[in-house]
Structures are given as structure tokens and as C-alpha cells.
């Protein structure tokens, strides 16, 4: 830190502390506070009541700013922004809540130096920002604050996502949080499908520290595939990605929050949590899953692959988009009433396999993340793959993150960079009641505890799915893709995510 030693502070030394000083209440100017800044907290003590002091944890501090006071006495104000986790009425657990603290510095009376108080307040603000950025307990990843440059971040917003609230979320929460964290940004509003994909495909990525998506998962799907479309894809895909929930599903945002081991939150509480993580988080690795369709097209996924019941609910719920996340519940109940089954084949490479490549891999012009575990669809799968007997399925679901939706913890043990595909499938014969119970239990991630014989869970590194039913729906990251045989392989840590 480029601050002077504590023994040489303007307002006096404090043993074992980084800084110590006297401030008054910014609102009234009456109460005098003694502030003590250490590596881990900001202590606020009321001088009139020395026995009472408040310790504000710097791990909850988003940022600090100084500005000239509104009075004509050369004073300066120091503002510190905290987002501690607190219990709130009607909330199932603690949630992050904004807590702004303002202090006034008016100790200098030198008429020849009108900026003395402002300089001192700015010095405090810099020191608070420095100390709040320290995360010595983390041994993996790199702090986003350590790689940020003056150019800032690109924020992509789909104003139509969810119930059309994304812009309200930006104006009401995210713009303020980015300002408090001193993160410059530029807002891009998407106007059509694949607009984000086109933007990042041609953008000068040297101008951006990160790409931040305020929308549902579909917009991030566009961004990831836009980055992989670029000639410089190897470098482009290393651009840190941030996710802020602005859609109906918000599965990746819920997963990012889950990885902090905090209590589940929803709605604007999830938005606040993810906004905090964006400003304070680590840049960690993110798995990408290469999905090859029967037409030869190749997609890159970060979230899920679905066929059958889950895909049907996802796509059919679009007609109820105006009711937000409740659209999934309504569509689930309708699909349960008219349950479909699908004939198909499934094969996968178990996670325990030590094989590093297939004997006959792809020999195509596409060199992006070569699928070394796969063979062309027209060839039989390698001998060490597990073949599931041809049968009738209710659903096949491959998860790459923990959450399938904001309130659906589908793969509780999944992590963003675990190098695994969490494969679930449900066979025909399951009752509607049991299927409903499984999805109900998925809200708490306990669906595997029911011992349902029709539900199978496997950890795999690659898979092949061959529908035999003539009609059906398949989705990748919630987006509908062409129906037919496909296969997928995980590429561990191929991208980067701002996370916990």
C-alpha cells in the first residue's frame, strides 16, 4: 500500500492499525467518530460513548469514495459501501443488504490549503479499497480487482429477458454497485436474437476487462459462442465473464451464488449477491462443453443439455413469459398432465475412465478445443463407454453447473470447473406423483435421496444421445437446437468466470 506508515498519519497513530482518525457524522456534523482501519475491518467508535464500538468487516466492503463536502467550510466526506449478510423478515436465511456509511472530515483550518481535507479523505478511501480487496484465505483464482484496467467492463443487457425488468435492475442496482466499486463500464442493450453474439465476435477485446451479462442464461450462451467464433478464440475465451440474473431461469447466477456456500436467495436478493461477487469476486476457471449435432454444427455450452420433459417444459413455457419464473411451474404442471415418453439410445464415458483420447477422433477443419474423447456420430462409441439399453425415457438431462433454475438445485455437488458432466435420466414407468416429488425435492437438492429406481445419476466426461422418436425437443443452455443424434464432451477450465 502506498500510504504512509501509521505512526505518521495526520490524525495520529494507532498501535497495530493501518490508520486512525477523527471524523464527524456526515449528516448532522454533531457526533464525533474515531475511525480505525486495520487489514480486516473498519472500527467506528462514538467519542461520546467510548465503550461502544462497531466493527465493519472489510470482506463486506464494496468500495469507498471521497468528495468535497456540501458545506462551505472546506470539509470533505468519506463514503464507505458495505453489503453485509443480515437476517431479514420473511427471508429464509441471511441476505446481502446495502449499508452506506458517511463521515465528514473538517480538521484542517488552513485557508491557504482548501484541498487538505479532501486529500486526507481520498487517502482514507484508497486505503479502505486496498484493504477490502485483500483475500488471503483464497488459494485459487485471481481477484478481479487485480486485473482490472482503466478501460472497464462491457455490460450486455437484454431488455426483453424475463418479465422485461433487466433495465430496471441495471438502473436500480447494478449501475450504483459498479460505481461504488469504482468499476467503469459501458452499457450495451441488445436489440435482437444473436445481437450479443455478433457484438463479441467483432469487438476489440483489449478494450474490456470483462464481459458482464445482465439477462437470462441465453444471452451468455450467445456471448460464449461469439467468443468461440473468433479467429483469436483461444485468447478471446479467456476474457472474464460475469453473470447477473435478469431473466426467468437465472441458473448460472444461482450456481455462482451456491458456490459461495451461502443460504439460497432469489429475485433481487440474488441480483445483489451476484453484483457483489462481480465487484469483489475471483476470476476462476469455467468448463465448456462441446456439443456436436447431427448436421455437423458445433455449439459450446456452460450450463445444460436437455431432452424430453425438461426441454419440453423450458420451450413450452415461453408462451407464459410475462409471469416470470412462475412460467416454469405452470408449464411443469401442464406437461405432467400430458406426460410424454421418448424412445432413444444413450451412451457415456464414465468419469473414472483414465483414457485420454479416442482411438479415432475427429479429423475436421475445426481446431477449436479438439474433441479427443469423441468419434464421429456414424461410428460406434469406443469400447470403454457405458451403453444404456435402448428404452423409453421421460427425460435426459446433462448438467454442467449446480442449478437448472433459480430454485432448482439439480446437481448439488457440481462446480464450475470440476471437469464433469452430471448426467441424469428418468426412464418410463415413473408415476406422475413421483416425478412431481422429484422436482419438488430438487428445490433443496435432495431428489437423489428418494431412492427412485427410475432416476439414474452418473458422472461422465462425454456422452452420446440418439433419439429414436420422430418428434421431440432438445435444448442447450435453455436454447432450442436441432432435433436428432448428438454427442458432447467436457473441456475443463476452458473459459473464465467471475465467481466466488
Amino acid at each position: 500500500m502506498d500510504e504512509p506508515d501509521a505512526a505518521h498519519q495526520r490524525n495520529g497513530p494507532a498501535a497495530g492499525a493501518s490508520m486512525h482518525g477523527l471524523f464527524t457524522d456526515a449528516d448532522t456534523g454533531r457526533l464525533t467518530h474515531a475511525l480505525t482501519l486495520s487489514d480486516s475491518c473498519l472500527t467506528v467508535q462514538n467519542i461520546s460513548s467510548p465503550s461502544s464500538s462497531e466493527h465493519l468487516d472489510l470482506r463486506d466492503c464494496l468500495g469507498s469514495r471521497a468528495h468535497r463536502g456540501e458545506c462551505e467550510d472546506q470539509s470533505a466526506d468519506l463514503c464507505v459501501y458495505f453489503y453485509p449478510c443480515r437476517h431479514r423478515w420473511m427471508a429464509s436465511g441471511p441476505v446481502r443488504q446495502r449499508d452506506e456509511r458517511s463521515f465528514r472530515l473538517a480538521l484542517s483550518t488552513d485557508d491557504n490549503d482548501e484541498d487538505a481535507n479532501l486529500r486526507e479523505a481520498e487517502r482514507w478511501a484508497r486505503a479502505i479499497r486496498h484493504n477490502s480487496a485483500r483475500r488471503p484465505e483464497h488459494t485459487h483464482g485471481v481477484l478481479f480487482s487485480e486485473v482490472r484496467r482503466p478501460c472497464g467492463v462491457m455490460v450486455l443487457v437484454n431488455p426483453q429477458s424475463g418479465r422485461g425488468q433487466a433495465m430496471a435492475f441495471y438502473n436500480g442496482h447494478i449501475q450504483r454497485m459498479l460505481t461504488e466499486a469504482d468499476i467503469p463500464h459501458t452499457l450495451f442493450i441488445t436489440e435482437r436474437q444473436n445481437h450479443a453474439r455478433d457484438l463479441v465476435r467483432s469487438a476489440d477485446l483489449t478494450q474490456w476487462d470483462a464481459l458482464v451479462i445482465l439477462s437470462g442464461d441465453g444471452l451468455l450462451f450467445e456471448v460464449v459462442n461469439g467468443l468461440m467464433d473468433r479467429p483469436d478464440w483461444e485468447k478471446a475465451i479467456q476474457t472474464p465473464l460475469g453473470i447477473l440474473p435478469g431473466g426467468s431461469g437465472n441458473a448460472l447466477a444461482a450456481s455462482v451464488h451456491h458456490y459461495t456456500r451461502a443460504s439460497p436467495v432469489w429475485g433481487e436478493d440474488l441480483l445483489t449477491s451476484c453484483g457483489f461477487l462481480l465487484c469483489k469476486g475471483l476470476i476462476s476457471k469455467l468448463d465448456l462443453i462441446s456439443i456436436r449435432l447431427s448436421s455437423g454444427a458445433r455449439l459450446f455450452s456452460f450450463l445444460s443439455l436437455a431432452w424430453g420433459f425438461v426441454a419440453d417444459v423450458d420451450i413450452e413455457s415461453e408462451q407464459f413469459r410475462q409471469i416470470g419464473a412462475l412460467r416454469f411451474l405452470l408449464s411443469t404442471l401442464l406437461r405432467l398432465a400430458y406426460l410424454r415418453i421418448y424412445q432413444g439410445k444413450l451412451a457415456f464415458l464414465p468419469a473414472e475412465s483414465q483414457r485420454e483420447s479416442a482411438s479415432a477422433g475427429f479429423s475436421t477443419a475445426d481446431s477449436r478445443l479438439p474433441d479427443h474423447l469423441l468419434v464421429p456420430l456414424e461410428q460406434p462409441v469406443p469400447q470403454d463407454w457405458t451403453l444404456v439399453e435402448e428404452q423409453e425415457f421421460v427425460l435426459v438431462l446433462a448438467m454442467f453447473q449446480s442449478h437448472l433454475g433459480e430454485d432448482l438445485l439439480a446437481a448439488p455437488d457440481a462446480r464450475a470447473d470440476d471437469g464433469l458432466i452430471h448426467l441424469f435420466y428418468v426412464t418410463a414407468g415413473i408415476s406422475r406423483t413421483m416425478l412431481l416429488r422429484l422436482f419438488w425435492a430438487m428445490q433443496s437438492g435432495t431428489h437423489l435421496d428418494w431412492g427412485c429406481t427410475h432416476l439414474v445419476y452418473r458422472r461422465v466426461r462425454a456422452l452420446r444421445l440418439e433419439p429414436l422418436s420422430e418428434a421431440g425437443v432438445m435444448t442447450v443452455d435453455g436454447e432450442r437446437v436441432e432435433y436428432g443424434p448428438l454427442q458432447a464432451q467436457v473441456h475443463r477450465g476452458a473459459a473464465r468466470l467471475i465467481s466466488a
Side-chain angles (χ1 to χ4, degrees), residues 135-360:
R135 298 274 290 276
E137 70 273 19
H138 286 279
T139 59
H140 71 284
V142 59
L143 283 171
F144 180 43
S145 60
E146 294 176 355
V147 301
R148 278 169 35 201
R149 299 161 295 178
C151 46
V153 303
M154 175 191 288
V155 178
L156 292 147
V157 177
N158 176 6
Q160 305 302 321
S161 62
R163 289 184 292 174
Q165 295 179 300
M167 282 305 303
F169 289 156
Y170 169 78
N171 292 323
H173 296 273
I174 300 306
Q175 185 179 32
R176 180 179 63 194
M177 296 181 79
L178 291 173
T179 300
E180 291 171 350
D182 196 29
I183 300 176
H185 68 281
T186 302
L187 178 66
F188 290 82
I189 300 175
T190 61
E191 300 173 351
R192 54 180 169 79
Q193 188 174 10
N194 284 320
H195 189 185
R197 185 168 185 164
D198 294 339
L199 278 173
V200 302
R201 183 190 289 129
S202 58
D204 179 4
L205 296 180
T206 64
Q207 299 299 310
W208 308 107
D209 299 326
L211 305 178
V212 176
I213 288 79
L214 173 52
S215 181
D217 299 303
L219 199 65
L220 183 56
F221 176 76
E222 287 189 25
V223 168
V224 166
N225 283 277
L227 294 174
M228 293 300 295
D229 285 343
R230 295 168 60 103
D232 63 342
W233 65 270
E234 287 182 281
K235 184 176 181 180
I237 199 59
Q238 294 303 302
T239 305
L241 303 172
I243 185 68
L244 299 168
S248 301
N250 304 317
L252 181 60
S255 299
V256 166
H257 174 82
H258 173 72
Y259 301 150
T260 68
R261 298 182 176 87
S263 300
V265 293
W266 302 273
E268 294 188 37
D269 291 331
L270 179 61
L271 179 70
T272 300
S273 173
C274 289
F276 183 83
L277 289 171
L278 169 65
C279 297
K280 293 269 289 185
L282 292 163
I283 298 176
S284 303
K285 292 181 179 180
L286 172 68
D287 293 346
L288 288 186
I289 288 73
S290 165
I291 298 177
R292 291 182 180 267
L293 307 179
S294 57
S295 65
R298 191 176 183 214
L299 306 173
F300 293 94
S301 168
F302 60 89
L303 180 63
S304 65
L305 162 66
W307 173 50
F309 186 87
V310 171
D312 292 343
V313 167
D314 202 353
I315 298 305
E316 293 170 3
S317 69
E318 288 289 333
Q319 61 186 307
F320 311 120
R321 177 172 288 275
Q322 292 306 312
I323 64 174
L326 286 175
R327 76 187 222 205
F328 298 112
L329 174 59
L330 178 56
S331 187
T332 296
L333 295 176
L334 290 174
R335 185 47 44 218
L336 277 170
Y338 302 96
L339 192 62
R340 297 172 181 154
I341 57 174
Y342 297 91
Q343 192 78 20
K345 297 179 181 179
L346 179 64
F348 56 83
L349 177 65
E352 307 80 52
S353 172
Q354 300 301 312
R355 182 170 57 81
E356 295 300 323
S357 64
S359 57

Side-chain angles (χ1 to χ4, degrees), residues 446-461:
T446 58
H447 47 292
L448 293 174
D449 300 336
W450 282 74
C452 176
T453 57
H454 292 280
L455 171 63
V456 181
Y457 167 56
R458 296 287 185 268
R459 299 184 181 193
V460 309
R461 297 166 60 197

